[in-house]
Structure formats: C-alpha cells, structure tokens
Amino acid sequence: MPLGLLAAAMWFGRWVRPSGDEWCFLPVVRDGGLTGMLEKFYVHDNGRVANALLVWAYARFGVPGHQWFALISGLVVVGVLWAVTLAAVRRAGVTVPRGVPLLVASMVAVLFLFASPNTYKTFYWPAASVSHTLAPVLAGAAVIPLLRARSRTAKITALLVVFLTGVFIGTLSEQSSVCALVLLSGVLLLGRWIVPGPRRSYVRLWCLVGTAGTVIGTLVLVTSPGARNRRHGRDAGMASMLAPESLIGAAKGFFRILETLLTTWPYAGAVAVGVLLGALATRADSGTAPLVKHLLLTNAAILAFLLSGYLCTLAAYPVFGPAVATSTRLWNDFRFLYILLLLGIGVLLGHRLRRRTLRPVALVVAGTAVCGLVCVVFALSLHQLEHTMRMRAHQWDRQDQWLRTQAERGARELPYRPTPISKMTEPLDGGWPSHCVARYYHLDRITPARVFPWQ
C-alpha cells in the first residue's frame, strides 16, 4: 500500500507547474545557465550554492523539469531510506523477512512526504523540496557507508563521503545543518555508552569529520554576499537571533509546531511499522534481537529532536517572525528526525512485546492495520490535491500559451491572472514576483486580471 501510494503521488507530479520563487529562477537559468544561478544565490539571494546547483538541475528543463521532479525526488527518498534500513539491519546482526526493510522505507517516506500540513510545498514544489525535504534525506545517506564499512578502504571512503556530504548540506540548508550538527555532537558526547567498544574510536572520528565538513559548508554560506544581503535586508543578523524577543518568540513558535506534530495521529504509522520491524527481527540463532541501553538512547534521541527543532525555529525566526510556526516547509528538516524517533520507539516496543510471546501474529496484524489505515487517509487527501493540481495545470497551460503568443506578436504589457495553489505566492500588481513573470515572457510588465485573458 505505501509503495502504491508513492507511485500514485509521483504520477500526479505531471500536473506541477512553476509558482512562487520559480518564476524568478526560470529566467535566470534560461539566460545565464548554471553560472547565472550560482551568482544569483551566492552573491545576491542567500548564499546557498548547493541549492543553486539543484535548482539549476531541474529548472534547466523548464516546465518538464518541474513535472519530473516528484518522480525523481520520490525515488531518491525511498531509495536512500531503503539502503539505510538494509545497512542498519545488517550492522545490528539481525535478520528480518525479505520485504520488511522496503516496507519500513516506504512507510517512512509516505509519512515524511504526505503527513505535512502542506503536502504540495513538501513534495511537489521543487524550490522548497530541494532545501527542506531532500536535504535531511541526503544527509542521512552519509550514514550508509559508515554502517557498511568493514575494510580499511571502506572506512576511508565513509570518512570522505561524510565530509563531502557535510560541505554540501552546509551550503544547501541551514536547518538541516543544525540537525546534523546536533546529532553528530550527541554521538560524540554519548559514544562511550551507545557505540560498541571496537568501533567507538572510528565512529567518533567519523562524527568529527562530518562536523568539520558541515561547519565548513555553513561558513561558506553565512559569509557569502548573498547571506549578508539577506540578513541586512531583513535585519536578521546574529544579534537579532539571540535577542530575548527572538528566543522567546522561537520557543512559542516551536511549541505550536510541536503541538501540531504530537496531535497529528497518522504519525502513529511510524510507530506501527517500527513495531513490525522490532517484532520480526531475529538473530541467526533464532533468538530475538538484543535490547541494549534503550532507555539512554531513547532519551538522547528525544532531546536531540527537541533541541534541533528549537534551534531550527530560532534560526528562521528573525526572517519569518511569528509566521515561522505556519511556514510548514521549514519544519521538514527536524520533522524527519521526529518520524525516525517514532520509528525507533516502535522498534523497541515491538522487541519488548515480542520477548513476551514467541508468536508475534497479533503485533503483525495490528501494525499492518495501522499502516494500511494511514495509507488510506493519505490516499483520500492526495486525490483531492491531485484534482486541484490538475485544474491549475489546465489554467496555467492555457494562460502560458496565450501570453507567449501575445509576446511573439510584440506586446509589451499583458494581463495576468494568478493561479494559486496550497498557499503559494502568486504574482501581484507591481509586487514580487510579478517582475519575474514579465521577464519570463519577455514583457515589460504584467497587470492583474480578474478573469483569464483568453476568456
């Protein structure tokens, strides 16, 4: 069911059309290519060099790039989660039924992509997805070489991968960098208790190398001319972030976010699939998987999530203000940790319940039922979103064709009617991003229209 849901959601991506920031990206990519995008982000906008690279990768294809983005990004998310699950199971020395790792990966992907209050901005809007949805998943991919490293060459490769990933994430997303640094610091501090003795020194070295890469990437971002322009333009420097009103406002905003997360019942699907994994995992000698220092690990994971969430909210507060609690795309970096935390709790719960009975049939039935119910709920909401996306795509395409035709005939000023979806920013008279729309169609100006121009 989760794989079918993901496949349907990827297919719905064919209705995605540019909106919001992408109006300004498309003309730059068309006229300046990769160098134009790198200059725009590093020198003028925000300093996110890796973000510019990923935006160029899909925007260079125009509208088709937006349509294919959901398919490609969805496959990346599922593929990374599947590889991490397989590597973690093997490293733990346990065996599970053949399909369980893929079930875990697909269920986590479903929750991460569709449990957000705004699925469109999380999954379908490429401009937000590359920096707040793909970023934490790509950061997690760096764990795969660590879990699989056994030879000296593999260990060196894992160090190189985590360093390069840290630099990349540091120049891609401030929020994902914060989460990565919190987690790496936590492992460094608690490695004595949570990492087995023979690998402890290497894991600490891996964490230090990852921290160094993330710090270097973050420094490249925060010292860029674009980041300085953004801070000065919105009075969002370090002093404003550490001001009492920012500290208190961010705490209130994060509390509201936390309230939403804790009261969104479909996240129970993460616990349910974790129970399945914990109940079905066995050792080669047919014994159940060991429960080692679970209380310390659970408490540390909860603390890491809370600290990451607050720091991410605090980093965004000077720019967004109280709206940080409603800018749902900013949640995804630490919401990913929340889902993994629930998954881990489910694994421990499933293992403990399995120890009390040698026949985990009831656990499997209950866990499967919850996962199925969550998928049904998401299928209904995706069906409604697909209808909205399809209607917008038809309107967007007709208006796009009309504007292009009129521009080719020499028009310099044309009417434009916004086609909003899922609280996306659309062009207004004289405001952002109306000038970007005009540039996209080679016009001097667009004017607001109450009806579509072709009507």
Side-chain angles (χ1 to χ4, degrees):
M1 290 184 70
L3 284 178
L5 186 62
L6 288 165
M10 295 175 196
W11 175 245
F12 296 160
R14 71 190 190 280
W15 301 123
V16 174
R17 298 296 185 272
S19 56
D21 303 53
E22 289 156 347
W23 283 117
C24 297
F25 298 161
L26 288 170
V28 174
V29 173
R30 179 193 63 201
D31 301 335
L34 178 57
T35 56
M37 277 302 299
L38 291 174
E39 179 184 2
K40 174 178 172 59
F41 274 65
Y42 184 77
V43 179
H44 303 291
D45 286 358
N46 49 37
R48 299 174 183 169
V49 177
N51 198 337
L53 177 62
L54 293 180
V55 169
W56 169 82
Y58 73 82
R60 62 193 292 258
F61 299 103
V63 175
H66 294 70
Q67 296 172 309
W68 281 89
F69 183 84
L71 172 63
I72 296 174
S73 64
L75 291 176
V76 169
V77 171
V78 175
V80 169
L81 292 173
W82 191 12
V84 170
T85 305
L86 285 172
V89 167
R90 291 171 181 170
R91 173 57 66 178
V94 300
T95 58
V96 295
R98 187 179 300 273
V100 171
L102 181 56
L103 171 63
V104 173
S106 58
M107 198 64 204
V108 170
V110 163
L111 290 167
F112 183 47
L113 299 176
F114 309 141
S116 166
N118 194 325
T119 297
Y120 188 86
K121 288 188 175 182
T122 295
F123 183 50
Y124 290 111
W125 185 28
S129 179
V130 294
S131 54
H132 297 292
T133 302
L134 284 180
V137 176
L138 294 177
V143 180
I144 299 172
L146 171 68
L147 294 173
R148 299 177 65 90
R150 298 184 183 278
S151 65
R152 179 180 177 84
T153 301
K155 291 181 179 180
I156 295 175
T157 301
L159 294 178
L160 180 62
V161 168
V162 74
F163 178 79
L164 295 177
T165 302
V167 174
F168 187 82
I169 297 300
T171 56
L172 175 63
S173 171
E174 297 93 323
Q175 281 75 22
S176 287
S177 298
V178 168
C179 294
L181 290 173
V182 169
L183 292 176
L184 292 171
S185 300
V187 176
L188 282 172
L189 292 174
L190 301 177
R192 178 179 178 183
W193 294 279
I194 64 177
V195 181
R199 285 178 56 85
R200 187 177 304 147
S201 299
Y202 174 71
V203 170
R204 283 179 170 172
L205 175 62
W206 184 88
C207 290
L208 287 172
V209 172
T211 300
T214 307
V215 169
I216 291 173
T218 303
L219 288 176
V220 171
L221 189 155
V222 299
T223 58
S224 67
R228 289 199 298 269
N229 291 339
R230 190 185 190 198
R231 290 194 299 268
H232 294 160
R234 303 196 185 191
D235 192 24
M238 183 62 68
S240 63
M241 186 174 70
L242 298 179
E245 55 269 22
S246 293
L247 296 172
I248 297 173
K252 292 180 179 179
F254 180 61
F255 180 80
R256 290 177 58 190
I257 296 171
L258 195 60
E259 183 180 19
T260 300
L261 294 179
L262 294 176
T263 55
T264 302
W265 73 265
Y267 286 117
V271 180
V273 77
V275 168
L276 286 173
L277 179 59
L280 295 174
T282 58
R283 282 191 172 280
D285 57 4
S286 298
T288 56
L291 196 63
V292 181
K293 301 180 180 66
H294 62 276
L295 185 59
L296 174 63
L297 188 59
T298 302
N299 291 336
I302 293 174
L303 180 61
F305 160 67
L306 294 175
L307 182 58
S308 298
Y310 174 70
L311 291 178
C312 288
T313 307
L314 178 62
Y317 189 84
V319 175
F320 291 88
V324 72
T326 56
S327 299
T328 54
R329 69 183 185 277
L330 302 175
W331 305 5
N332 293 332
D333 304 87
F334 57 86
R335 195 172 61 85
F336 185 64
L337 298 183
Y338 177 63
I339 297 172
L340 296 183
L341 171 62
L342 294 180
L343 173 67
I345 292 175
V347 171
L348 296 177
L349 179 62
H351 171 74
R352 173 157 292 188
L353 294 175
R354 169 66 188 273
R355 293 178 65 185
R356 297 182 179 182
T357 175
L358 296 179
R359 300 182 62 184
V361 177
L363 296 177
V364 173
V365 172
T368 303
V370 173
C371 292
L373 179 60
V374 169
C375 288
V376 170
V377 171
F378 287 149
L380 295 175
S381 63
L382 276 173
H383 176 71
Q384 297 175 351
L385 179 60
E386 187 268 346
H387 175 74
T388 305
M389 292 167 58
R390 176 159 43 88
M391 295 299 294
R392 177 181 186 263
H394 292 323
Q395 296 170 349
W396 196 98
D397 289 342
R398 291 193 65 180
Q399 182 163 243
D400 175 71
Q401 183 61 43
W402 185 86
L403 290 169
R404 290 181 184 278
T405 300
Q406 298 302 314
E408 290 174 358
R409 293 176 180 175
R412 305 307 305 165
E413 180 177 314
L414 292 172
Y416 176 92
R417 181 179 176 180
T419 55
I421 182 173
S422 298
K423 301 179 181 180
M424 292 294 302
T425 302
E426 279 294 296
L428 301 174
D429 184 25
W432 180 91
S434 60
H435 65 283
C436 296
V437 178
R439 180 182 174 185
Y440 179 70
Y441 290 108
H442 301 285
L443 300 172
D444 294 333
R445 183 171 179 264
I446 62 170
T447 57
R450 292 189 176 182
V451 297
F452 289 106
W454 68 83
Q455 294 177 335

